[in-house]
Amino acid sequence: MNTKTEHFFSIDNSSQFEERALAIFRYQANHCLIYHEYIKQLDINAHQIKSYTEIPFLPISFFKTQDIVSSDKNPDIIFTSSGTTGHVTSKHLVQDVSIYEKSYNMAFERFYGAPDDYCILALLPSYLEREGSSLIYMVDDLLKKSRHPQSGYFLHNHEELFSTLEELNKNHQKTILIGVTYALLDFVERYTIQFPNLIVMETGGMKGKRREMVRQELHHILCNGFGVGSIHSEYGMTELLSQAYSYGNGIFNCPPWMKILLRDTSDPLSLIKNNQTGGINVIDLANINSCSFIATQDLGKIHSNNSFEVIGRFDNADIRGCNLLVQ
């Protein structure tokens, strides 16, 4: 298939999304072996699918046991999920990493502007301490594009992070702090700052380091600790090459080449309407070389303006990073 990325990165209306989603579905139904077999087992005729709402979604668990690819090209890179001890981790064989780079760069600029407008600070110890993190790949690139001399990782050095934040605040520097949830909590237990223009972006759950918290409690603590009015969030995962972002209150929006649908929790092949709780299905057209139609283990709601929120996970789902916070 012609995988020119402008075909889906230039989407700006619903009819274009429909056209590209159907074209990619038909391609993957033929060329992604695991997805082809899954559709076959469901007794679905791919040629009879006329809308993206009819497309079957591959359970995300297949990324733990199978190579989900739509061509025989060797992968540029393999991303892996964090997982907890004793659990099988997911792997995403990315056959063209330039598509991932274009996806996260375009999404970041869409939601936040150019990276070189910011000093970008990263507090991501659990991601840095392992190999294969797609988040670290993205943050590495954003740090380079920031070009600010104080941009960088802080790992466990909270004292240095605090002094850096104080200096940036004093200099009125636009700043983004990207942090895994438990590390942000660790920081504000030792230090507090009033930095109202700081963007605090939490990404991921507690990684087994702390008890899970309801989002309102977590964000209240972080808002007080950093002196900000809201906590931003990123919704992404190993199995996806795109991210959704929240400016606060856990309400996420997708870039135009990504869409969220909800499935019935008791009938996974049926979709439900907005403002009901259901399983989150993701269409990520940037996954053109793997599978763009993924049934996640997250629970959520979609609002009338197509924004969405994550409200938990299925009871039998593995705990892992990608906004696992329960309401």
Side-chain angles (χ1 to χ4, degrees):
M1 183 182 187
N2 187 338
T3 60
K4 288 184 178 179
T5 54
E6 62 265 24
H7 285 169
F8 49 86
F9 285 132
S10 62
I11 288 172
D12 63 9
N13 60 57
S14 57
S15 61
Q16 288 178 358
F17 184 89
E18 180 96 80
E19 176 189 356
R20 293 309 304 155
L22 286 171
I24 290 173
F25 163 68
R26 290 176 185 128
Y27 172 75
Q28 292 178 344
N30 286 325
H31 292 87
C32 179
L33 177 62
I34 303 303
Y35 191 42
H36 175 84
E37 289 300 317
Y38 179 70
I39 293 170
K40 183 178 178 181
Q41 291 298 317
L42 294 176
D43 197 25
I44 290 174
N45 185 338
H47 297 289
Q48 293 179 347
I49 300 294
K50 303 300 182 185
S51 168
Y52 68 79
T53 60
E54 301 171 358
I55 291 173
F57 288 79
L58 184 73
I60 200 167
S61 58
F62 278 96
F63 281 84
K64 292 184 176 182
T65 59
Q66 307 293 330
D67 292 345
I68 310 300
V69 293
S70 290
S71 80
D72 56 6
K73 178 182 180 294
N74 289 330
D76 287 345
I77 194 169
I78 299 175
F79 291 132
T80 56
S81 62
S82 52
T84 54
T85 302
H87 286 75
V88 178
T89 57
S90 295
K91 63 182 185 299
H92 192 171
L93 280 63
V94 180
Q95 295 175 314
D96 184 352
V97 75
S98 70
I99 295 177
Y100 179 49
E101 293 167 351
K102 187 162 187 175
S103 178
Y104 65 66
N105 278 306
M106 286 186 64
F108 186 90
E109 292 202 12
R110 183 179 185 87
F111 288 99
Y112 293 100
D116 61 7
D117 286 342
Y118 295 94
C119 177
I120 300 177
L121 313 176
L123 189 61
L124 299 165
S126 55
Y127 292 95
L128 276 175
E129 293 164 349
R130 68 176 184 84
E131 297 291 327
S133 167
S134 58
L135 177 63
I136 293 299
Y137 189 98
M138 176 180 77
V139 173
D140 278 347
D141 195 23
L142 293 176
L143 290 174
K144 292 174 186 174
K145 288 183 167 67
S146 165
R147 297 191 180 90
H148 193 282
Q150 289 172 292
S151 290
Y153 293 101
F154 287 84
L155 201 57
H156 301 288
N157 194 342
H158 292 174
E159 183 178 358
E160 183 185 356
L161 175 59
F162 178 67
S163 61
T164 300
L165 286 170
E166 283 197 311
E167 184 177 350
L168 294 167
N169 189 23
K170 181 180 178 181
N171 294 333
H172 305 289
Q173 169 64 45
K174 290 174 67 175
T175 303
I176 297 177
L177 171 60
I178 303 174
V180 63
T181 306
Y182 79 84
L184 294 172
L185 286 170
D186 288 347
F187 176 82
V188 298
E189 284 182 351
R190 293 184 60 194
Y191 299 96
T192 58
I193 187 172
Q194 292 296 310
F195 194 164
N197 293 322
L198 174 67
I199 295 173
V200 180
M201 183 185 298
E202 55 100 357
T203 174
M206 298 300 185
K207 305 295 182 186
K209 307 283 188 180
R210 285 174 170 262
R211 68 174 178 87
E212 295 295 322
M213 301 170 66
V214 296
R215 191 195 69 234
Q216 291 89 338
E217 178 188 7
L218 167 68
H219 285 198
H220 177 72
I221 293 170
L222 294 180
C223 282
N224 287 341
F226 290 103
V228 297
S230 63
I231 301 298
H232 294 222
S233 302
E234 180 246 15
Y235 182 79
M237 58 191 72
T238 300
E239 300 86 351
L240 303 176
L241 295 186
S242 299
Q243 305 81 30
Y245 288 99
S246 166
Y247 294 142
N249 299 315
I251 305 300
F252 291 89
N253 285 281
C254 295
W257 57 91
M258 179 183 183
K259 187 177 288 290
I260 303 296
L261 302 173
L262 294 182
R263 67 183 182 276
D264 191 324
T265 56
S266 59
D267 181 6
L269 298 181
S270 298
L271 300 180
I272 61 173
K273 296 179 179 179
N274 293 353
N275 300 312
Q276 300 179 51
T277 299
I280 292 179
N281 287 351
V282 181
I283 300 178
D284 181 6
L285 300 185
N287 272 23
I288 189 166
N289 291 316
S290 54
C291 182
S292 292
F293 312 95
I294 305 298
T296 78
Q297 294 171 329
D298 295 324
L299 294 165
K301 286 184 179 180
I302 299 176
H303 302 286
S304 56
N305 62 355
N306 289 322
S307 64
F308 72 99
E309 57 184 308
V310 182
I311 62 173
R313 289 175 67 77
F314 284 89
D315 290 340
N316 61 348
D318 297 332
I319 295 297
R320 53 154 214 191
C322 63
N323 287 292
L324 312 182
L325 305 176
V326 179
Q327 295 280 19

